[in-house]
Amino acid sequence: MSSIIKVFKFGGASVSSAEGVRNLAEVVKRYNQNLVIVVSAMGKTTNALEVVLAKYLEKDNSYTQNLDQLRNYHVNILSNLFQSNIEEQTQKIDLLFGEIENFIKSNKNTDYNYCYDQIVSYGELISTTIVSEYLNSVEIKNRWIDIRTCVKSDATYREGNIDYKRSDELSKATFSFTNNRIYLTQGFIAGTLFGTTTTLGREGSDYTAAIMANLLNAEDVTIWKDVEGVLNADPKIFKNTCKLDFVSYKEAIELSYCGAQIIHPKTIKPLQNKRIPLYVKSFLRSEADGTKILDSNESHQYPPILILRRNQRLISLTPRDFSFVIEDCLSQIFALLYKHRVKVNMIQTSAISFSFCVDEEKHFLPAAIDDLQKDFEVLYNEDAEMLTVRHYTEEVIKEQTSDRKIYVKQETRSTVRIVMKRSEQ
Ligand code: ASP
Ligand code: MG
């Protein structure tokens, strides 16, 4: 048996239907190396579970209807995939839905982040159960692993910090490849040492794939998508996009940090640390080259890369006592934002004002603003957009901003960042 290990990741969009799951099987069939397959929740399941959570916390019992819809969605996929044994397969799914109900009925802890992880994690547990059973049924023998027993994190719910030392021992023992060539497991979720579930941040399955590759010293990681690779802009928003054949780790980390949806921002570090290449490929054209993300010292010529973040709020703070916004004041602001887990997308300072841009969000932001109002006058602009253009040209900037109201513009040699608003019609 070859000792080469490859890690594959299939995101929610790629397993959102029975057809998607069949495609996944077709891709997997083409490889005879050892494989770790990391799978996300199907389609929009994570969003649907977030709604269940919100209703549960608001004591709105109609969450059961949302759970029923979600169950039907999965049972439909399952019925389409299996010719026989549908009942047996459905029971496995029902067991997992039953666990969600049990948690809701017995839980006493009202912490949003804790409850989030205990409920939302089921999206991945359900999807991997279906995909693993399906692959076995078409003779792609694989072993389903509960990743919570191998990838360990601290108890920072919704943003678990990985304990690499523990995870290393546990993962090497479980993913031993002695009796199995293919393992199938969940992205996005992990487990604490005392047995609770954590999640790793939205879109975190890429990150899981990178963690597994790091721990198991994989040869490479492939993220299978419904697009041909990493594009220079989102084709749903921008015209004339092109595929990037090569992206350096450094560029990839910058892009994902600016909000490029293509990979989770934390994905690169575990790969870079072991020089493991990352491929982004289309599962519809698996023989095509896709995009290769790798270390590079050579300066590479990139076309302009555009990243648009919508639903931004630009917040401006002025100290009530007119003190300068300098180190102590900045550290006070950041400590507060950190406490409320508000992520800052851009900052701008002047003598007595500090502006920053954040994603619109209704759980943490209002509390942070309340706290800030004690010492600062707080003003904000809602419905803003933040456009980042890396490797910009003047034409591109002009084209993108001509009919916009610009709030902030920052420019370096490689990057322009603009917070703006679409002009009112
Ligand atoms: N299912 C999770 C999410 O939608 C993780 C992922 O898709 O990577 O955020
Ligand atoms: Mg997803």
Side-chain angles (χ1 to χ4, degrees):
M1 205 188 269
S2 131
S3 61
I4 290 174
I5 300 170
K6 285 177 172 292
V7 177
F8 285 176
K9 180 256 172 174
F10 290 87
S14 61
V15 290
S16 64
S17 64
E19 195 194 343
V21 179
R22 286 198 190 91
N23 263 327
L24 177 153
E26 287 307 312
V27 170
V28 171
K29 256 190 218 161
R30 293 188 200 125
Y31 292 83
N32 55 20
Q33 293 92 338
N34 294 322
L35 297 181
V36 175
I37 306 173
V38 174
V39 180
S40 302
M42 292 178 158
K44 301 268 179 251
T45 299
T46 305
N47 294 0
L49 287 169
E50 284 181 351
V51 175
V52 170
L53 168 76
K55 287 191 171 180
Y56 156 58
L57 291 175
E58 285 159 16
K59 304 203 173 16
D60 173 352
N61 280 336
S62 68
Y63 74 82
T64 52
Q65 286 158 25
N66 299 68
L67 278 179
D68 281 347
Q69 274 169 15
L70 204 54
R71 176 189 176 273
N72 291 344
Y73 165 67
H74 286 93
V75 171
N76 259 331
I77 294 181
L78 194 153
S79 318
N80 194 312
L81 287 173
F82 294 91
Q83 258 72 56
S84 56
N85 287 345
I86 295 184
E87 225 158 88
E88 196 186 312
Q89 300 302 341
T90 310
Q91 272 170 14
K92 292 192 178 122
I93 297 310
D94 280 341
L95 222 62
L96 294 167
F97 276 98
E99 286 179 20
I100 304 179
E101 300 252 21
N102 282 342
F103 170 78
I104 289 180
K105 289 201 180 108
S106 59
N107 174 52
K108 302 272 182 299
N109 186 337
T110 53
D111 177 56
Y112 175 82
N113 297 322
Y114 169 78
C115 294
Y116 184 102
D117 288 1
Q118 310 322 303
I119 291 177
V120 174
S121 51
Y122 275 92
E124 271 68 13
L125 292 167
I126 295 165
S127 69
T128 50
T129 301
I130 297 175
V131 176
S132 171
E133 292 286 343
Y134 173 71
L135 292 182
N136 278 325
S137 79
V138 293
E139 298 306 318
I140 303 177
K141 293 290 167 221
N142 70 95
R143 182 146 164 239
W144 182 91
I145 302 289
D146 182 339
I147 200 74
R148 297 172 298 180
T149 63
C150 303
V151 173
K152 293 292 176 188
S153 76
D154 65 3
T156 311
Y157 295 107
R158 279 181 63 244
E159 216 174 330
N161 294 301
I162 303 300
D163 178 342
Y164 274 90
K165 196 163 173 289
R166 286 294 169 104
S167 307
D168 191 76
E169 291 155 16
L170 293 165
S171 297
K172 286 202 171 89
T174 304
F175 294 81
S176 63
F177 296 97
T178 40
N179 297 317
N180 300 284
R181 182 176 71 82
I182 305 178
Y183 292 87
L184 193 131
T185 195
Q186 308 78 38
F188 178 55
I189 72 175
T192 61
L193 289 176
F194 44 92
T196 56
T197 306
T198 54
T199 63
L200 308 177
R202 283 303 306 261
E203 310 302 330
S205 297
D206 298 341
Y207 182 32
T208 304
I211 295 166
M212 294 317 297
N214 178 301
L215 296 174
L216 302 173
N217 297 311
E219 180 185 52
D220 52 36
V221 174
T222 307
I223 297 180
W224 295 98
K225 289 206 163 255
D226 53 358
V227 289
E228 53 181 333
V230 178
L231 306 183
N232 73 324
D234 183 342
K236 287 187 223 103
I237 307 174
F238 299 100
K239 288 182 283 191
N240 306 326
T241 55
C242 63
K243 181 182 73 104
L244 306 171
D245 298 330
F246 171 83
V247 177
S248 69
Y249 287 137
K250 193 164 161 283
E251 186 67 24
I253 221 162
E254 291 288 349
L255 293 180
S256 52
Y257 180 76
C258 300
Q261 296 285 321
I262 202 79
I263 39 172
H264 186 281
K266 288 186 178 169
T267 308
I268 299 298
K269 188 178 184 297
L271 299 177
Q272 188 277 343
N273 291 176
K274 291 210 171 161
R275 301 274 181 278
I276 299 169
L278 170 66
Y279 297 92
V280 178
K281 288 190 179 194
S282 159
F283 57 78
L284 301 170
R285 290 180 56 220
S286 61
E287 69 300 336
D289 277 342
T291 299
K292 184 172 188 174
I293 301 173
L294 189 60
D295 211 13
S296 159
N297 296 323
E298 295 154 35
S299 60
H300 189 77
Q301 285 296 318
Y302 294 98
I305 304 179
L306 290 83
I307 301 138
L308 185 70
R309 273 189 166 193
R310 290 200 164 122
N311 295 325
Q312 298 295 296
R313 193 189 295 204
L314 179 66
I315 303 179
S316 296
L317 308 178
T318 309
R320 290 197 187 279
D321 62 0
F322 256 55
S323 27
F324 286 127
V325 179
I326 44 170
E327 289 78 359
D328 54 348
C329 185
L330 283 178
S331 64
Q332 181 197 351
I333 296 170
F334 276 104
L336 216 140
L337 293 173
Y338 182 74
K339 179 181 125 197
H340 290 283
R341 295 170 71 170
V342 171
K343 295 250 160 32
V344 173
N345 298 330
M346 186 228 56
I347 61 172
Q348 175 95 4
T349 55
S350 76
I352 55 158
S353 99
F354 175 76
S355 305
F356 60 100
C357 203
V358 292
D359 291 344
E360 201 54 76
E361 184 279 328
K362 60 180 189 301
H363 278 288
F364 303 98
L365 198 51
I369 291 179
D370 275 356
D371 248 4
L372 285 166
Q373 268 165 341
K374 291 177 192 146
D375 293 318
F376 301 92
E377 189 191 347
V378 182
L379 297 173
Y380 44 76
N381 289 294
E382 292 167 290
D383 288 330
E385 297 184 334
M386 186 176 104
L387 175 72
T388 306
V389 185
R390 291 192 47 86
H391 318 290
Y392 62 93
T393 61
E394 290 308 324
E395 289 104 272
V396 173
I397 302 300
K398 220 161 139 193
E399 190 185 303
Q400 294 301 327
T401 55
S402 59
D403 58 345
R404 305 292 172 93
K405 179 170 172 189
I406 295 181
Y407 294 136
V408 181
K409 182 173 177 187
Q410 293 178 340
E411 193 169 329
T412 68
R413 256 186 302 167
S414 64
T415 310
V416 169
R417 190 167 287 173
I418 304 162
V419 181
M420 58 190 180
K421 190 167 184 157
R422 213 173 279 273
S423 301
E424 304 302 338
Q425 300 292 312

